Amino acid sequence: MSTDYSRALGARLRAIRNQQGLSLQGVEDKSHGRWKAVVVGSYERGDRAVTVQRLSELAVFYGVPVSELLPDPRPSSAVTKSTKIVLNLESLGSLPADEAGPLARYASTIQAQRHDYNGKVLSIRAEDLKSLAIIYDMSPDELTTRLIEWGVLSPGADGSIYATEDDDDS
């Protein structure tokens, strides 16, 4: 198991434990000693490899599918937390509603919350893109590709994602 994968797996394990409001000691207590705090902690830090059997048992203990404990195997290269994401609202407005309707409604809601009605571009966060990816039932990378194909996004030279603009001063 690669170190990066071990850490990603550990981060998922920690996230699930935290979502359930359990400390490491809480896991040990709730499991009546079946899961030692030191062992679960070493899994979460990626210091100790977890077998498939033990991972399956942890999933049962946490009451989640095993797939929820596994990190996403696809590298997320298109969008990072520091990526600036700017939607081209003019391009969005020209797309068929059956394709872009969810995105248009999402953008409209953000505009209303911000009282921002310039109508040309809208900045969103990477977390917004993740939410939209769920709505579209695809990964953030797949959605980014789709938005680029639609002309709502265009990749910037520095790796950031910017709205396409029809300016002559570029």
Side-chain angles (χ1 to χ4, degrees):
M1 194 171 355
S2 78
T3 304
D4 288 342
Y5 190 83
S6 295
R7 287 189 187 127
L9 176 62
R12 289 294 307 143
L13 291 172
R14 184 177 302 108
I16 296 295
R17 176 177 57 78
N18 287 334
Q19 285 174 1
Q20 298 197 0
L22 293 171
S23 65
L24 289 171
Q25 187 60 49
V27 169
E28 188 168 334
D29 294 344
K30 184 178 176 184
S31 71
H32 305 289
R34 170 138 172 53
W35 294 102
K36 301 291 184 205
V38 68
V39 172
V40 174
S42 65
Y43 291 155
E44 290 180 2
R45 287 187 307 277
D47 294 341
R48 185 177 193 163
V50 59
T51 65
V52 173
Q53 178 65 34
R54 295 290 281 170
L55 193 63
S56 176
E57 292 168 5
L58 257 178
V60 169
F61 173 75
Y62 286 135
V64 300
V66 174
S67 61
E68 285 300 308
L69 299 179
L70 300 174
D72 189 347
R74 300 168 292 192
S76 182
S77 58
V79 176
T80 64
K81 288 202 181 283
S82 63
T83 301
K84 182 176 183 180
I85 305 167
V86 183
L87 302 176
N88 182 326
L89 297 176
E90 292 174 327
S91 294
L92 177 59
S94 67
L95 293 171
D98 61 326
E99 285 185 87
L103 176 59
R105 286 188 298 278
Y106 199 90
S108 177
T109 300
I110 292 173
Q111 283 181 294
Q113 289 173 346
R114 294 181 188 170
H115 305 288
D116 176 9
Y117 300 101
N118 75 22
K120 295 184 185 236
V121 297
L122 178 70
S123 296
I124 63 171
R125 303 170 309 198
E127 290 302 315
D128 293 322
L129 189 68
K130 289 179 184 177
S131 297
L132 285 164
I134 292 168
I135 292 168
Y136 278 95
D137 194 26
M138 55 182 64
S139 74
D141 287 348
E142 291 168 329
L143 180 59
T144 298
T145 300
R146 175 79 49 89
L147 296 178
I148 290 169
E149 289 169 357
W150 286 349
V152 175
L153 294 176
S154 71
D158 62 354
S160 296
I161 301 172
Y162 296 97
T164 55
E165 299 178 317
D166 296 327
D167 296 334
D168 291 330
D169 47 24
S170 355

